[in-house]
Amino acid sequence: MVPLFLLAITIVGLISSIRSLFMTKVSKKQYISIENVVLLFLVYVTVLIGFGIIYMVLDLNNFPVLNEDGLPVSGVFTERLESTMYFSAITLLSVGYGDITPIGVGRWIAIVEALIGYTIPMAFVVKTVINIERNES
């Protein structure tokens, strides 16, 4: 029961974090603000931790989602947490190294995370361009 609640809270937090990228106030005569850069960093951190928690909750509920060296991620809690956060970071920020691979439903979750990782910078650039256009008119 608690892991499902944690999973639901995590998903709501992820959606809110990504949504905040589009909902910030427009600053006057400023093309790129420190506030926007900090917001971008915080969105990345939130998404990274959120997906890491999703992988971890599924793993703890006996839904294998990640393989490390051909075997399901195992070990004590901290080792599993380290592996899920590492995989989340590598999936979000790059194409991955292949040392940890998604399996089953983990593949679809990794696809969603990778798509989010690729669209966050695009959203940041589009938001900046829209702010510039608003300031010039």
Side-chain angles (χ1 to χ4, degrees):
M1 179 69 178
V2 173
L4 293 178
F5 178 72
L6 179 61
L7 194 60
I9 293 294
T10 301
I11 291 170
V12 169
L14 285 169
I15 292 169
S16 298
S17 179
I18 293 168
R19 191 170 158 249
S20 71
L21 197 58
F22 299 98
M23 305 301 276
T24 58
K25 61 185 175 189
V26 177
S27 56
K28 301 286 184 197
K29 302 284 183 189
Q30 204 170 12
Y31 296 124
I32 297 177
S33 68
I34 296 297
E35 177 183 322
N36 286 344
V37 173
V38 170
L39 175 66
L40 181 65
F41 175 78
L42 291 176
V43 168
Y44 266 118
V45 168
T46 304
V47 171
L48 186 152
I49 292 171
F51 275 94
I53 290 171
I54 290 171
Y55 296 126
M56 186 68 184
V57 167
L58 290 172
D59 183 61
L60 290 175
N61 284 300
N62 297 320
F63 290 103
V65 290
L66 300 175
N67 271 352
E68 187 170 12
D69 298 326
L71 300 170
V73 172
S74 61
V76 295
F77 178 80
T78 54
E79 291 171 346
R80 287 178 164 189
L81 183 63
E82 178 185 350
S83 293
T84 57
M85 290 298 166
Y86 166 79
F87 177 77
S88 179
I90 294 304
T91 302
L92 182 65
L93 302 172
S94 71
V95 294
Y97 294 124
D99 53 343
I100 298 178
T101 56
I103 57 172
V105 72
R107 291 178 176 176
W108 293 103
I109 297 168
I111 289 170
V112 170
E113 184 178 12
L115 285 171
I116 290 171
Y118 285 119
T119 57
I120 289 174
M122 180 215 40
F124 180 72
V125 169
V126 168
K127 179 180 174 222
T128 302
V129 169
I130 289 171
N131 286 346
I132 290 169
E133 289 178 356
R134 283 184 184 164
N135 287 337
E136 289 178 355
S137 59

